[in-house]
Amino acid sequence: MGFLLWIIAVALVIYGIITLFSGSVLLGIILIVVGLAVGPGGWTIFSRRGTRA
């Protein structure tokens, strides 16, 4: 499960960076933040409150 979350997070961040450079700043920032939220190495939305995955 962690590997799948990592792949999704990387894809979201890369797509967010591409979107930033294409001119849509707000959507790019949102995609990067969502990518960081889903990633297993940082703050994940799938873990319980107060625990780190």
Side-chain angles (χ1 to χ4, degrees):
M1 182 72 174
F3 183 71
L4 181 63
L5 287 175
W6 186 81
I7 294 292
I8 293 170
V10 168
L12 283 171
V13 170
I14 290 173
Y15 187 66
I17 292 170
I18 291 171
T19 305
L20 274 174
F21 285 124
S22 68
S24 182
V25 175
L26 184 61
L27 181 60
I29 291 172
I30 290 172
L31 286 171
I32 291 171
V33 169
V34 169
L36 294 175
V38 171
W43 171 64
T44 178
I45 60 176
F46 296 112
S47 68
R48 295 185 315 157
R49 177 175 274 188
T51 60
R52 297 200 92 183

